[in-house]
Amino acid sequence: MKQDSKSKFVEEVELRGHIIDSLLLPKVLDTVTTGRGTFEIRQIAIGSGRHDPSHAVLGVYAEDQETLDEILAQISDHGATPTAGQDCRLVEADIDGALPEGFYSSTNQRTEIRLDGQWTEVADQEMDCGVVLDSESGQPRCLPMTDVRRGMQVVVGHAGVRVFPLERQDAGHAFSFMNSSVSTEKPKRVVVREIAQALLANRNGPGKSLLVGGPAIIHTGSGPLVSELIRRGYLQKLFAGNALATHDIEQSLFGTSLGVNVQDAQIAEAGHEHHLRAINRIRRAGSIAGAVEQGVLTSGIMHDCVKHDVEFLLAGSIRDDGPLPDVVTDALEAQRQMRVGLKDVTFCLMVATMLHSVAVGNLLPAWVKVVCVDINPSTVIKLADRGSFQTVGLVTDVEPFFRSLLAELDELSGQS
């Protein structure tokens, strides 16, 4: 960083890749000007073909060092890297559970840091974390501040850090993050077919498919459809809260969800007690798996998860009744278990749960495909606002969605 003859502070940065069709260059220029800076395009080479990369070198100017640093921090998330090669700055954490002031705040996009003149990829990519060096391997990785321990080497500032933004996919691809705006008028079958293809690919390959589900799945009578997906091997993991599991078990034991008969929508006599009685029976059995083994629980999503070795994680909240014995009531511990469970997930389907969708979205790297299905558009908007911009939103009722998804899977399976 230096002052030029016009008494402005300047830094030269470069961008590489599909910076034109992914709109990265316009984003960088807009960020510079809205941040009270100016720019000069010093060099630009635009790829001649659709798949050819481009390259640009910019001079970024600001009236003072603080403003320049703020601009550089923002444009680095779009892949703008200073041309002056320098290693990242490392500072020892001085206390447990907190990062040093000025720490580098991670994004969910692929990131590298420069150590001893060499660029090294950051592991466990996740937004809103610090980047620390593993004491044994020297491998940089993202780490939430609550897990930081005194003496850890933490990356501070943006020097020696570069980010690789996701590039725009072909416009016709349903999972293109540039086409992820929320609309009730989207051609739903196109997106549903893409979901079916992802589930089929993961069933036949090494990737794992995760369902993040809310209790509306049970309330809308969609439980049997999700159970069918589990039995056919299309779902390998389930993340939910106490509510989905409780009402699924209530439906299995009493035929109701929140005291309402799922078959005819009539309120059952003393039905308001059913969810508590369902929780109590599972607690007496010791666990959901124990209830299945003892013959207490004989059907439903949770039963089928146990029977078909689908890994499930139930994260609790302050309003939970009971809760079920399998529910993780420590929020930080639930996050830690989620991080472990997400390591091999390549496709995530979020259905009818704002709280758990945002929670999981915060933990996912940007390259994991995400589809959020909800009757409420604000759920998808909330995800995008939090940075999970790879999310494709599908605004629709839950039960017709799952029915359509199974029909698409039947058609695709018949073709393969």
Side-chain angles (χ1 to χ4, degrees):
M1 302 174 192
K2 60 182 180 179
Q3 276 187 288
D4 73 348
S5 58
K6 300 177 182 178
S7 297
K8 285 187 176 182
F9 288 79
V10 60
E11 180 78 52
E12 187 177 81
V13 300
E14 65 178 349
L15 292 103
R16 295 180 181 273
H18 294 277
I19 61 176
I20 306 298
D21 56 351
S22 291
L23 303 180
L24 293 175
L25 180 57
K27 287 179 182 178
V28 167
L29 302 182
D30 182 64
T31 301
V32 171
T33 55
T34 56
R36 296 182 294 116
T38 58
F39 64 85
E40 172 191 11
I41 298 179
R42 297 178 174 176
Q43 179 184 338
I44 188 166
I46 300 174
S48 57
R50 180 172 179 80
H51 299 289
D52 295 333
S54 302
H55 175 239
V57 177
L58 312 174
V60 179
Y61 299 84
E63 293 291 345
D64 54 71
Q65 189 64 57
E66 183 179 359
T67 301
L68 181 60
D69 289 342
E70 290 177 358
I71 293 172
L72 294 174
Q74 293 180 55
I75 65 176
S76 69
D77 291 344
H78 299 307
T81 306
T83 57
Q86 55 183 306
D87 285 352
C88 66
R89 182 182 165 215
L90 296 171
V91 173
E92 262 193 18
D94 54 344
I95 60 173
D96 291 348
L99 293 155
E101 287 292 329
F103 69 93
Y104 171 76
S105 180
S106 64
T107 73
N108 59 359
Q109 304 188 81
R110 188 167 74 85
T111 304
E112 291 181 349
I113 64 171
R114 195 172 187 262
L115 296 166
D116 298 325
Q118 300 295 319
W119 289 100
T120 304
E121 186 164 357
V122 175
D124 302 329
Q125 195 65 54
E126 180 185 331
M127 70 171 75
D128 301 333
C129 290
V131 175
V132 303
L133 291 189
D134 186 275
S135 58
E136 296 181 1
S137 66
Q139 169 75 35
R141 63 189 180 98
C142 291
L143 192 71
M145 65 176 65
T146 52
D147 291 347
V148 171
R149 294 295 173 261
R150 183 177 179 180
M152 285 183 170
Q153 295 290 312
V154 181
V155 176
V156 173
H158 286 75
V161 179
R162 64 183 182 187
V163 176
F164 297 84
L166 282 182
E167 294 176 348
R168 187 176 187 175
Q169 300 180 18
D170 291 339
H173 199 288
F175 287 131
S176 171
F177 70 82
M178 295 300 294
N179 293 331
S180 61
S181 58
V182 184
S183 171
T184 57
E185 299 179 354
K186 273 189 174 180
K188 294 180 176 62
R189 185 176 180 185
V190 175
V191 180
V192 173
R193 175 159 284 247
E194 291 280 357
I195 297 169
Q197 289 172 341
L199 294 177
L200 185 61
N202 279 354
R203 188 184 72 168
N204 299 334
K208 302 293 183 184
S209 295
L210 165 68
L211 171 64
V212 180
I217 291 175
I218 310 302
H219 303 332
T220 59
S222 304
L225 301 175
V226 174
S227 285
E228 187 68 17
L229 290 171
I230 292 171
R231 289 192 293 268
R232 295 190 192 181
Y234 289 116
L235 297 174
Q236 290 78 44
K237 297 172 186 278
L238 170 68
F239 285 2
N242 185 62
L244 179 141
T246 292
H247 296 301
D248 170 67
I249 293 167
E250 175 193 346
Q251 180 180 353
S252 175
L253 298 179
F254 302 105
T256 61
S257 178
L258 275 178
V260 177
N261 284 304
V262 176
Q263 295 299 324
D264 58 16
Q266 297 297 309
I267 299 176
E269 184 176 353
H272 64 283
E273 302 175 354
H274 287 177
H275 74 288
L276 291 175
R277 298 190 184 281
I279 292 170
N280 193 59
R281 287 193 190 179
I282 304 303
R283 292 184 71 89
R284 291 180 64 84
S287 66
I288 294 172
V292 173
E293 293 165 3
Q294 296 165 34
V296 174
L297 184 62
T298 58
S299 64
I301 292 174
M302 302 314 300
H303 168 272
D304 290 331
C305 282
V306 173
K307 285 293 188 181
H308 295 273
D309 296 322
V310 169
E311 175 187 334
F312 64 86
L313 173 59
L314 307 178
S317 71
I318 194 67
R319 66 185 180 182
D320 286 344
D321 291 319
L324 291 163
D326 300 80
V327 172
V328 181
T329 56
D330 183 325
L332 293 180
E333 179 58 28
Q335 285 184 0
R336 292 185 185 103
Q337 292 189 28
M338 287 166 119
R339 288 186 178 98
V340 173
L342 289 170
K343 286 188 181 299
D344 55 355
V345 169
T346 55
F347 177 70
C348 181
L349 177 60
M350 301 173 171
V351 181
T353 171
M354 179 179 288
L355 180 65
H356 284 81
S357 293
V358 172
V360 174
N362 288 350
L363 304 178
L364 284 171
W367 54 84
V368 174
K369 295 176 181 176
V370 177
V371 176
C372 182
V373 180
D374 206 300
I375 195 63
N376 183 1
S378 63
T379 302
V380 189
I381 294 170
K382 187 78 170 178
L383 270 171
D385 287 346
R386 283 290 302 140
S388 302
F389 54 82
Q390 76 269 35
T391 304
V392 173
L394 191 59
V395 180
T396 186
D397 289 329
V398 175
E399 198 273 349
F401 163 72
F402 278 118
R403 195 171 296 281
S404 176
L405 178 59
L406 279 166
E408 292 291 344
L409 284 167
D410 286 340
E411 185 174 333
L412 290 172
S413 297
Q415 295 172 359
S416 59

